[in-house]
């Protein structure tokens, strides 16, 4: 008795009970009033017909008596006797026929036409009828001689006049005897007639009183039916009120719900009441009155539509279990396309849910709810993609097996530091756009370094991730109006990088345990820590080879003095060297053909040298024997990028022109290949050096060499940004 | 708030005191008179019986008998009670369940004063 | 990335709470990761435990100053400690409850568990979580999402 729907159901069941009561009253009426009433009415009419018939027959007994008396009179007076005898015969004949008919009376069936003697078949009447027939039969025998008389009862003589002849005398005797018998028989016959009349009257009276009883009963039943009819009407009103109430409540729900809600009737037509959200979900105002098919046909493929229509029809099937039906809902998550929308828009998904609405036990409507599942579906797809990604762990493992263990250990440590650095940059509170913009640049440097190193040692899974991170950063550089919202992809990617690094660490740990278990005890414990600087050397050699290979060039690295570097500078020098070597191979060193043509060794040479400078710290120089830098090209590019004006350009000397290389924005970041444009690397190097408190310079000779020289101060003031977490 | 034959008694159910106070403060419907406020379902049922409230605003996430159960119980006690669910649970399944149990309207948190009064008006209009 | 979509759901919820309750928009600060399992809290934190299809917790933490002004913007004159606890829990509840619009009924949220002056921070189910600073007027709050 709670929800409107249930109230409605209660009202409906009450109405059903009322209808049953009325049906029962009808049956009672037919059984107790109509049939008996009909029977009684028949009895009454039969009785009346019989009474009339009987009273008509009564006169024959008198007529017979007077006819016999008339015969005697005529005999006395010598009159003509044949007339009264004929009369007597006719009357006797009539009475005989009447008694025969009365005696032969039978009860009749429902559909036989009643006759005037039908009522005489009644047991009470039958006795008198039988007695009457017997009396008359006895009396009739006495009259027989009179009936049989033929001829003339007299003979005439002149002397004696008219006298009875012998036949006349016999007739006179018979007549006298008949008159005598009549004195007894006629009152009996009359009494029998009276008996019959009385019985019929009694039967009539009984039928009449029963009929009035039946009429009373009918009146009562009719009153009951009227009362029930009124109750039924009230019940219907209550039910209508309940339905109205349910509708009102539904209307209010429809207005407040953010979901699409509507009702489908048996013809699958959408009801007038539906939630306001329907308009937004289906991008149309005319939802009410549409069929479900019309609603869907333009936005889902024909096949889906056909399945959906079949499904909705199944919903109306009572015997199908609701949960089963729900489990096969083909519209649980359906992709929709609205006509007139460009195909490039993100796919939209709608979720349809169906509930049967019952009135009592019958399904009266289907309540359909619709919501926009696009975000959820996208989420699901992404989750799946993320899971697929973790499948690539095997690839990572195989990649690891190709990496030199020492290089890997150093890389893992360095990249963890770099990522922590990125996180600390992010962690600095920011509100203003400028603060966010500054972060983009600092983060880029760190991620770029990780990417370079990962590429150098061949860890493509990290390189790819770092590359995608860089792409996000590039996009942010181009974007105006930066806010924390734009940084969300960054922390997600950062999280992913952390996770990935951790999984590599775990894999390495497992591998080393395997190795330890397999290796002979004697080989363990060899000193490995001192080798750190030479990791850089081998890594750079590998990088030069790899980038050269990718660019159709040949290059080798020679290094000297790297082992003299204090540990705290190792990372910085490595970051600088990675950028410089990449740039040298990509832009400095010519193709083998070009080098041969210029009389050079087809394989380019990159020299990296570290020289301690005592109190002045260290000097790092990186030199390639490539084509050198063109100051004209640098100035032209700087003008293009808006770093120098057309007026300013001609006034720049060669040194000033070269310094443009280190300016932010010299590169537009528009090349999103992994091996980025030269400008990126230069700017990065300059920033790293500056952060370490050092200086950087460049010198070049066209066709001969390009040399970068980095001066780093002695350690106490240097490197804090790099080693601090 | 004037006493009169048309005044409907309102009960506020929410586990947050400030939300209870805010609903009472912000509701501007003349016909409504706040007669009580409860912090959980058990309290709500008890207060509902005592005050004979006609209208109830109902939070869903509450300790000691959550809102859905409470809706069921209030409707059982008095089938014609008007219940406006005011909840942060914004998923469709929850809304449908509340309405199945007999709630008459749904307002999603967070809400403005205007949204609150709009929802209450609609609730009363549906009566 | 599904994590990004998910984070956006929570962030949108947080921004909606501020906008709706105070009619003054909040902005998202620079998001970052907690890598040491110690996210740090302001004076009050409303913690929602998440069970069901996702597991972990979501919490909202804010300093006394912000909560005081928030209450005032909501016309609440009683700025007692009790009401601050209440508000921080309600905000956390609203953010996570709203997330069910997109994450569905299977995203099960607890009633808010409020920590006051929790200098030791909230115990996190795992070391790395997302921290989204929320700036509103001159105040800063944090939304911490730590799922699975």
């Amino acid at each position: 008795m709670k929800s409107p729907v249930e109230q409605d159901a209660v009202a409906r069941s009450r109405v059903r009970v009322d209808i049953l009561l009325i049906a029962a009253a009808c049956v009672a009426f037919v059984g107790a009033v109509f049939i008996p009433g009909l029977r009684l009415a028949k009895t009454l009419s039969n009785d009346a017909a019989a009474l009339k018939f009987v009273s008509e027959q009564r006169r024959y007994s008198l007529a017979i008596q007077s006819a016999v008396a008339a015969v005697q009179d005529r005999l006395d007076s010598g009159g003509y006797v044949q007339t009264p005898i004929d009369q007597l015969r006719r009357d006797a004949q009539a009475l005989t026929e009447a008694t025969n008919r009365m005696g032969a009376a039978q009860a009749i069936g429902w559909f036989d036409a009643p006759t005037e003697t039908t009522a005489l078949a009644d047991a009470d009447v039958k006795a008198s009828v039988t007695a009457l027939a017997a009396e008359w039969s006895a009396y009739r025998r006495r009259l027989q001689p009179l009936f049989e008389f033929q001829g003339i009862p007299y003979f005439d003589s002149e002397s004696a006049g008219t006298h009875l002849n012998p036949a006349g005398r016999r007739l006179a005797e018979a007549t006298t005897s008949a008159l005598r018998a009549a004195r007894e028989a006629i009152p009996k016959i009359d009494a029998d007639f009276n008996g019959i009349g009385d019985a019929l009257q009694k039967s009539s009276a009984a039928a009449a009183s029963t009929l009035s009883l039946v009429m009373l009963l009918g009146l009562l039943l009719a009153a009951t039916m009227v009362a029930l009819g009124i109750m039924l009407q009230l019940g219907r009103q209550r039910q209508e009120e309940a339905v109205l109430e349910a509708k009102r409540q539904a209307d209010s729900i429809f207005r407040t719900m953010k979901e699409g809600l509507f009702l489908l009737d048996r013809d699958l037509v959408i009801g007038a009441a539906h939630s306001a959200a329907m308009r937004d979900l289906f991008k149309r105002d005319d939802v009410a009155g549409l069929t479900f098919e019309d609603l869907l046909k333009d936005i889902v493929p024909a096949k889906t539509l056909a399945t959906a229509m079949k499904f909705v029809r199944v919903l109306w099937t009572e015997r199908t279990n609701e949960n089963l039906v729900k489990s096969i809902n083909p519209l649980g998550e359906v992709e929709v396309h609205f006509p007139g929308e460009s195909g490039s828009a993100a796919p939209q998904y709608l979720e349809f849910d169906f509930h049967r609405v019952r009135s009592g036990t019958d399904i009266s409507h289907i309540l359909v709810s619709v919501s926009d599942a696009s975000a959820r579906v996208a989420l699901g797809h992404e989750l799946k993609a993320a899971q697929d990604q973790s499948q690539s762990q095997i690839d990572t493992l195989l990649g690891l097996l190709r990496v030199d263990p020492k290089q890997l250990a150093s890389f893992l440590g360095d990249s963890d530091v770099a990522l922590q650095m990125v996180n600390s940059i992010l962690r600095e509170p920011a509100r203003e756009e400028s603060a966010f913009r500054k972060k983009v640049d600092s983060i880029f440097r760190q991620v770029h370094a990780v990417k370079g190193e990962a590429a150098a040692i061949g860890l493509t899974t990290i390189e790819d991730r770092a590359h995608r991170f860089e792409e996000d950063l590039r996009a942010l550089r181009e974007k105006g109006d930066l806010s924390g919202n734009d940084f969300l992809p960054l922390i997600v990617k950062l999280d992913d990088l952390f996770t990935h690094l951790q999984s590599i660490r775990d894999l390495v740990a497992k591998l080393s345990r395997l190795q330890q278990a397999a290796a002979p005890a004697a080989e363990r414990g060899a000193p490995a820590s001192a080798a750190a600087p030479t990791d850089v050397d081998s890594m750079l050699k590998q990088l030069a080879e790899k980038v050269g290979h990718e660019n159709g060039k040949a290059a080798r690295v020679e290094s000297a003095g790297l082992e003299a570097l204090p540990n705290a500078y190792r990372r910085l020098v490595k970051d600088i060297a990675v950028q410089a070597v990449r740039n040298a191979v990509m832009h400095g060193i010519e193709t083998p053909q070009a080098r041969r043509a210029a009389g050079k060794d087809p394989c380019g040479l990159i020299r990296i040298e570290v020289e301690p400078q005592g109190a002045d710290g260290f000097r790092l120089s990186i030199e390639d024997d490539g084509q050198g830098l063109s100051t004209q090209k640098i100035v032209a590019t700087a003008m293009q990028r808006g770093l120098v004006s057309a007026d300013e350009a001609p006034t720049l000397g060669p040194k000033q022109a070269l310094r443009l290389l280190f300016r932010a924005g010299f590169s537009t970041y528009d090349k999103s290949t992994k091996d980025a444009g030269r400008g990126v690397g230069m700017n990065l190097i300059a920033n790293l050096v500056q952060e370490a408190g050092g200086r950087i310079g460049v010198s070049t000779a066209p066709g001969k060499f390009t040399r970068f020289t980095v001066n780093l101060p002695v350690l106490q003031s240097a490197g804090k940004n790099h080693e601090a977490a | 708030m004037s006493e009169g034959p048309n005044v409907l008694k309102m009960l506020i159910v929410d586990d947050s005191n400030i939300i209870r106070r805010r609903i009472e403060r912000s509701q501007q419907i003349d016909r409504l008179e706040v007669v009580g406020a409860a912090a959980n379902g058990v309290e709500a049922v008890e207060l509902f019986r005592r005050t004979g409230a006609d209208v109830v605003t109902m939070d869903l996430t509450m300790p000691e008998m959550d809102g859905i159960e409470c809706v069921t119980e209030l409707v059982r006690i008095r089938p014609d009670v008007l219940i406006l669910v005011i909840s942060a649970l914004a998923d469709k399944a929850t809304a449908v369940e509340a309405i199945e149990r007999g709630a008459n309207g749904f307002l999603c948190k967070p809400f403005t004063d205007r949204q609150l009064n709009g929802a209450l008006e609609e609730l009363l209009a549906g009566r | 990335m599904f994590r990004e979509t998910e984070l956006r759901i929570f962030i949108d919820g947080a921004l909606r709470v501020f906008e709706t309750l105070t009619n003054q928009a909040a902005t998202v600060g620079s998001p970052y990761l907690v890598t040491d399992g110690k996210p740090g809290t302001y004076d009050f934190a409303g913690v929602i435990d998440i069970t069901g299809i996702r597991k972990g917790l979501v919490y909202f933490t804010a300093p006394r100053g912000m909560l005081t002004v928030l209450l005032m913007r909501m016309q609440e004159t009683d700025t007692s400690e009790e009401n601050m606890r209440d508000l921080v829990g309600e905000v956390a509840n609203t953010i996570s409850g709203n997330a069910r619009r997109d994450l569905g009924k299977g995203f099960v949220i607890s009633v808010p568990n409020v920590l006051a002056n929790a200098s030791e921070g909230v115990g996190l189910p795992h070391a790395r979580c997302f921290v989204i600073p929320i700036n509103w007027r001159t105040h800063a709050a944090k939304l911490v999402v730590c799922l699975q």
Side-chain angles (χ1 to χ4, degrees):
Chain A
M1 304 253 281
K2 285 154 198 171
S3 72
V5 173
E6 281 174 279
Q7 285 171 11
D8 184 29
V10 169
R12 274 168 202 266
S13 71
R14 178 166 307 142
V15 168
R16 199 172 0 265
V17 168
D18 291 350
I19 288 176
L20 277 174
L21 281 174
I22 287 185
C26 279
V27 171
F29 190 84
V30 170
V33 178
F34 186 71
I35 295 175
L38 211 62
R39 198 187 286 274
L40 287 167
K42 248 183 177 163
T43 307
L44 273 176
S45 102
N46 290 349
D47 285 353
L51 262 175
K52 184 168 174 260
F53 176 77
V54 168
S55 65
E56 275 169 11
Q57 312 312 315
R58 288 186 81 135
R59 68 186 165 91
Y60 289 118
S61 63
L62 276 173
I64 286 166
Q65 209 177 352
S66 57
V68 173
V71 172
Q72 195 175 36
D73 287 350
R74 296 278 170 101
L75 286 174
D76 287 347
S77 58
Y80 185 65
V81 293
Q82 203 53 47
T83 308
I85 284 175
D86 286 345
Q87 182 64 42
L88 178 66
R89 251 192 227 119
R90 279 196 300 275
D91 288 342
Q93 185 62 33
L95 187 57
T96 304
E97 276 171 22
T99 54
N100 283 348
R101 273 183 67 190
M102 287 160 73
Q106 274 185 351
I108 54 162
W110 264 106
F111 301 104
D112 298 328
T115 65
E116 43 206 359
T117 60
T118 302
L120 301 175
D122 195 76
D124 295 342
V125 187
K126 196 88 184 170
S128 305
V129 171
T130 315
L132 172 69
E135 299 296 342
W136 167 241
S137 173
Y139 182 47
R140 191 174 176 276
R141 274 196 300 275
R142 308 292 291 272
L143 295 175
Q144 198 61 35
L146 275 74
F147 302 155
E148 288 165 359
F149 180 80
Q150 292 284 332
I152 297 162
Y154 312 108
F155 67 89
D156 291 319
S157 69
E158 300 238 345
S159 55
T162 302
H163 295 284
L164 290 168
N165 62 15
R169 275 197 292 278
R170 282 196 298 276
L171 179 64
E173 277 167 28
T175 306
T176 310
S177 140
L179 280 173
R180 220 181 294 125
R183 250 173 262 136
E184 263 184 66
I186 294 300
K188 278 186 183 162
I189 287 171
D190 281 348
D192 287 334
F193 269 116
N194 284 340
I196 292 169
D198 285 350
L200 285 174
Q201 227 130 37
K202 229 158 78 190
S203 150
S204 272
S209 78
T210 312
L211 190 60
S212 65
L213 209 74
V214 165
M215 296 297 274
L216 197 68
L217 185 66
L219 205 66
L220 272 170
L221 280 170
T224 311
M225 281 199 284
V226 168
L228 283 172
I230 289 168
M231 274 166 69
L232 179 71
Q233 193 55 40
L234 284 175
R236 246 189 216 136
Q237 269 172 16
R238 261 203 302 276
Q239 180 193 349
E240 273 163 22
E241 274 165 22
V243 167
L244 272 176
E245 171 63 14
K247 196 182 162 308
R248 270 199 295 270
Q249 294 192 2
D251 283 350
S252 110
I253 289 161
F254 283 153
R255 279 195 305 272
T256 50
M257 286 285 288
K258 294 202 168 55
E259 310 296 331
L261 274 185
F262 59 88
L263 287 169
L264 279 182
D265 65 14
R266 199 168 271 278
D267 300 324
L268 306 185
V269 173
I270 296 169
H274 57 76
S275 65
M278 289 294 289
R279 195 176 42 218
D280 300 332
L281 285 168
F282 291 94
K283 305 190 194 311
R284 62 196 295 173
D285 293 320
D286 56 342
V287 173
L290 276 186
T291 64
F292 192 56
E293 187 166 8
D294 286 338
L295 180 71
L296 290 183
K297 72 172 180 224
D298 294 331
I299 59 173
V300 303
K303 210 174 147 194
T304 312
L305 178 65
T307 320
M309 294 311 294
K310 240 183 258 169
F311 171 75
V312 177
R313 277 182 217 112
V314 168
L315 283 171
W316 285 97
T317 321
E318 292 277 0
R319 63 195 157 75
T320 319
N321 174 287
E322 179 135 20
N323 284 335
L324 175 73
V325 168
K326 279 186 174 171
S327 72
I328 56 165
N329 178 2
L331 299 176
E333 192 180 283
V334 64
E335 188 170 350
V336 293
H337 293 282
F338 291 97
E341 272 189 11
S342 69
S344 62
Q348 269 183 291
Y349 291 86
L350 292 181
E351 176 184 356
F352 288 73
D353 217 340
F354 299 86
H355 303 261
R356 288 163 167 167
V357 178
R358 290 178 183 277
S359 292
T361 55
D362 298 334
I363 300 171
S364 70
H365 285 93
I366 303 289
L367 175 66
V368 187
S369 65
V370 191
S371 58
D372 188 345
S374 304
R376 207 197 55 214
V377 171
L379 210 60
H381 288 175
E382 284 160 6
L383 186 62
K384 192 174 174 301
Q387 280 163 350
D388 290 348
Q389 214 165 31
S390 69
Q391 292 288 317
S392 69
Q393 247 203 359
I394 297 283
D395 299 340
T396 311
L397 180 63
L398 291 174
L400 283 178
L401 292 174
R402 286 194 295 267
V403 178
D404 176 60
K406 284 178 201 153
Q407 283 182 20
L408 183 63
S410 129
F411 169 77
L412 289 176
D414 290 349
S415 41
D416 198 52
V417 171
L419 296 184
Q420 291 290 358
M421 185 74 190
V422 170
N423 200 35
S424 341
I425 294 166
L426 285 169
R427 197 167 184 154
E428 286 299 311
R431 285 178 181 243
E432 304 305 317
E433 209 222 332
S434 59
F436 284 110
R437 202 161 286 289
K438 219 172 117 194
K439 286 174 188 238
V440 174
D441 288 336
S442 327
I443 294 168
F444 192 93
R445 260 172 255 144
Q446 300 293 334
V447 175
H448 194 68
V450 170
K451 183 178 97 170
E453 205 176 330
I457 64 171
L459 268 180
T460 49
T461 55
I462 298 276
E463 188 189 357
D464 291 345
R465 282 174 169 78
H467 180 64
R468 283 197 295 271
F469 203 141
E470 269 189 6
E471 281 183 339
D472 280 359
L473 290 164
R474 281 198 178 87
L476 290 185
R477 279 201 161 222
E478 302 302 314
K479 187 180 182 295
D481 221 15
L482 285 184
S483 81
N485 250 326
D486 303 314
F487 276 41
L488 280 185
L490 304 187
I491 54 165
V492 171
K493 288 192 170 67
L494 182 62
D495 179 59
D496 181 47
L497 267 170
F498 268 122
T499 309
H500 193 66
L501 278 176
Q502 186 55 48
S503 68
I504 289 177
R505 245 178 248 120
D506 294 346
L507 280 172
V508 168
K510 270 181 209 156
L511 284 175
S512 78
R513 275 201 300 278
L514 271 175
Q515 197 188 20
Q516 275 176 18
E523 286 184 19
R524 270 185 245 154
S529 53
T534 55
D535 297 346
V536 179
D537 176 65
S538 58
M539 186 198 78
L540 292 174
K541 284 188 161 102
Q542 233 174 304
L543 177 65
E545 207 175 298
K546 176 174 171 275
V547 179
H549 184 74
E550 284 166 5
N551 289 276
K553 295 173 181 180
R556 63 199 165 90
V557 172
E558 280 179 10
S559 72
L562 283 177
E563 62 284 349
L565 269 179
N567 245 358
Y569 270 144
R570 202 173 51 79
R571 166 99 208 281
L572 175 64
V573 167
K574 188 169 74 175
D575 285 351
I576 293 170
V578 166
Q579 295 304 323
V581 167
R582 170 178 282 129
N583 284 341
V585 177
M586 287 182 72
H587 305 288
I589 290 170
E590 313 90 332
T591 59
Q593 296 90 326
R595 287 182 67 89
R596 239 181 252 116
K600 291 179 179 176
D601 181 349
C603 180
L605 174 68
I606 301 163
R607 277 195 58 82
I608 299 168
E609 216 170 320
V610 174
E611 288 172 87
Q613 304 287 307
D616 291 334
F618 300 87
R619 180 196 287 156
L620 164 71
S621 65
I622 301 163
E623 182 186 320
D624 69 71
D625 65 347
Q627 62 192 347
L629 295 165
S630 154
T631 49
Q632 278 170 320
K633 272 193 192 166
I634 292 171
V635 172
T637 308
M639 273 173 67
Q640 240 178 359
R641 305 276 185 263
L643 296 176
V644 292
S645 66
D647 300 336
E648 208 181 341
T651 68
L652 294 172
K655 277 195 172 176
Q656 287 162 306
L658 286 175
R659 293 217 69 85
L660 288 171
L661 274 181
F662 301 114
R663 290 272 294 274
F666 182 79
S667 162
T668 53
Y669 293 85
D670 54 2
K671 290 182 185 166
S672 61
T673 59
K674 279 189 212 164
D675 299 300
R678 183 169 202 136
V680 181
M682 288 300 102
N683 179 237
L684 252 178
I685 291 172
N687 280 309
L688 289 173
V689 171
Q690 210 181 341
E691 276 170 18
R695 285 174 291 113
I696 186 165
V698 60
S699 55
T700 183
K704 291 188 174 149
F705 72 90
T706 305
R707 180 168 59 229
F708 290 94
T709 312
V710 176
N711 287 292
L712 296 169
V714 281
L715 248 177
Q716 56 267 36
S717 64
K720 67 173 193 283
N721 279 342
H722 273 272
E723 293 299 326
Chain B
M1 228 148 289
S2 62
E3 193 67 54
N6 282 332
V7 168
L8 296 171
K9 290 184 268 185
M10 177 160 114
L11 178 65
I12 299 169
V13 186
D14 201 302
D15 62 340
S16 160
N17 177 42
I18 51 174
I19 297 291
R20 292 195 298 270
R21 283 166 58 96
R22 175 157 173 241
I23 292 172
E24 173 159 17
R25 200 166 51 236
S26 305
Q27 79 84 9
Q28 307 277 329
I29 314 274
D30 291 337
R31 291 162 62 200
L32 284 179
E33 184 195 7
V34 176
V35 294
N40 61 53
V42 176
E43 249 179 61
V45 172
E46 205 263 311
L47 258 180
F48 181 70
R49 286 187 196 276
R50 218 169 55 212
T51 59
D54 308 287
V55 177
V56 180
T57 74
M58 177 70 67
D59 188 16
L60 292 183
T61 318
M62 290 184 299
E64 295 194 52
M65 191 193 278
D66 69 21
I68 293 278
E69 272 179 72
C70 191
V71 166
T72 314
E73 186 61 20
L74 298 194
V75 172
R76 198 185 60 77
I77 295 170
R78 188 173 154 191
D80 66 342
V81 61
L82 288 177
I83 300 178
L84 175 65
V85 171
I86 303 184
S87 168
L89 300 180
D91 60 302
K92 178 192 65 177
T94 303
V96 167
E97 191 180 355
I99 283 154
E100 267 177 359
R101 302 294 188 99
N104 309 75
F106 202 93
L107 175 64
C108 198
K109 287 180 186 175
F111 55 88
T112 62
D113 291 356
R114 234 175 97 174
Q115 287 166 336
L116 173 69
N117 282 298
L120 284 171
E121 260 161 29
E122 272 176 12
L123 186 78
L124 297 183
R127 192 182 159 87
Chain C
M1 296 282 287
F2 86 98
R3 280 219 179 271
E4 186 183 330
T5 317
E6 195 173 72
L7 283 174
R8 259 182 222 293
I9 289 167
F10 291 106
I11 293 170
D12 290 349
L15 298 183
R16 186 163 48 235
V17 168
F18 280 94
E19 171 83 45
T20 314
L21 292 187
T22 70
N23 205 20
Q24 260 178 336
T27 58
V28 180
S30 179
Y32 58 95
L33 301 175
V34 174
T35 54
D36 54 2
K38 296 184 192 111
T41 56
Y42 294 112
D43 301 325
F44 297 90
V47 185
I48 307 285
D49 290 314
I50 308 295
T51 50
I53 53 165
R54 307 302 309 273
K55 289 181 176 54
L57 56 83
V58 170
Y59 78 87
F60 175 78
T61 177
R64 198 176 294 273
M66 177 191 258
L67 294 174
T68 310
V69 183
L70 260 176
L71 284 173
M72 276 154 50
R73 287 288 305 189
M74 292 168 69
Q75 325 291 332
E76 176 58 70
T77 47
D78 177 1
T79 55
S80 64
E81 165 132 353
E82 203 42 54
N83 273 356
M84 292 194 191
R85 297 171 64 104
D86 191 334
L87 178 59
V88 89
E90 186 63 21
V91 171
N93 170 53
T94 306
I95 293 169
S96 39
N98 280 194
R100 301 220 314 186
R101 192 195 312 267
D102 296 310
L103 299 177
K105 199 184 169 188
F107 185 82
V108 181
I109 65 172
S110 73
V111 291
N113 176 23
V114 177
L115 304 177
N117 307 314
S119 52
E120 79 281 9
V122 175
L124 298 182
H126 41 260
R128 224 168 36 250
C129 300
F130 296 92
V131 181
I132 319 288
I134 306 284
N135 298 318
W136 180 72
R137 292 165 57 127
T138 58
H139 305 278
K142 273 193 276 194
L143 176 67
V144 179
V145 179
C146 215
L147 290 175
Q148 216 146 353

